[in-house]
Amino acid sequence: MSGSGKRSAGLLLFRHTARGLEVLLGHMGGPFFARRDAGAWGVPKGEYEPDETAWDAARREFQEELGLAPPEGEAIALDEVRQTNGKVVTAWAIEADLDPAAMVPGTFRMEWPPKSGQFQEFPELDRVEWLSLERAREVIITAQATFLDRLVEHSG
């Protein structure tokens, strides 16, 4: 199944620290990403249907994926990017500070091991961390690095 036509929206939290600008990224859960680092991190986000606005979806998905209320604050539009799978992702940045340890991740079910007939639940995000921009660029899904660039342009 191709990702064409699928739309996703999310929130990129950022904060200013003594070490510089940091962003909150989530590591994708499940067996395919368990041992991967590069390309396995991204903006907390999720898909939405045409009857929901991207903004509403971004806030809902933040709540579903992290189990935490989306922060209030000025939302900086980071526009959209198209990932290699064809999915279009829209994101907003919000300056906020939250404790990753407070996260209660949402889960998904999948057949694992493949063709076993057994289904297991996995967290959508198995961890979230505050990362420096340099570290974030090393591990973020390639297309989503554009969001980091746009955030820097806005913060600059």
Side-chain angles (χ1 to χ4, degrees), residues 11 18 23 30 43 60 70 73-74 84-85 97 100 109 119 130 140:
L11 299 178
V23 293
V43 174
R60 175 182 53 75
E74 178 194 355
T84 53
N85 63 3
D97 197 357
R109 283 176 56 83
F119 285 80
W130 287 103
I140 198 167

Side-chain angles (χ1 to χ4, degrees), residues 13-17 19-24 130-133:
L13 301 194
F14 70 97
R15 66 183 184 184
H16 296 275
T17 71
R19 297 179 301 282
L21 191 63
E22 293 183 336
V23 293
L24 187 74
W130 287 103
L131 303 173
S132 68
L133 283 176

Side-chain angles (χ1 to χ4, degrees), residues 10-155:
L11 299 178
L12 176 64
L13 301 194
F14 70 97
R15 66 183 184 184
H16 296 275
T17 71
R19 297 179 301 282
L21 191 63
E22 293 183 336
V23 293
L24 187 74
L25 296 182
H27 183 270
M28 289 181 272
F32 297 120
F33 298 100
R35 291 182 183 83
R36 284 185 53 193
D37 200 35
W41 292 79
V43 174
K45 62 169 184 50
E47 292 180 11
Y48 64 98
E49 299 300 325
D51 62 349
E52 184 178 26
T53 68
W55 171 247
D56 287 342
R59 293 177 56 78
R60 175 182 53 75
E61 286 292 336
F62 186 91
Q63 174 93 41
E64 287 178 10
E65 295 219 341
L66 276 66
L68 302 169
E72 298 299 327
E74 178 194 355
I76 302 161
L78 299 178
D79 206 17
E80 59 185 35
V81 298
R82 181 177 298 274
Q83 297 183 165
T84 53
N85 63 3
K87 183 180 287 182
V88 174
V89 181
T90 306
W92 286 266
I94 297 179
E95 186 167 3
D97 197 357
L98 69 81
D99 179 0
M103 179 187 88
V104 182
T107 60
F108 68 95
R109 283 176 56 83
M110 69 176 283
E111 187 177 12
W112 191 260
K115 299 183 176 63
S116 67
Q118 296 177 336
F119 285 80
Q120 294 186 42
E121 281 206 1
F122 297 97
E124 291 194 44
L125 298 174
D126 57 21
R127 62 192 184 275
V128 293
E129 292 179 18
W130 287 103
L131 303 173
S132 68
L133 283 176
E134 181 181 9
R135 174 80 177 122
R137 286 184 202 286
E138 292 172 0
V139 298
I140 198 167
I141 296 165
T142 306
Q144 291 185 24
T146 301
F147 293 143
L148 302 178
D149 298 337
R150 291 174 185 162
L151 175 61
V152 169
E153 287 168 19
H154 185 276
S155 301

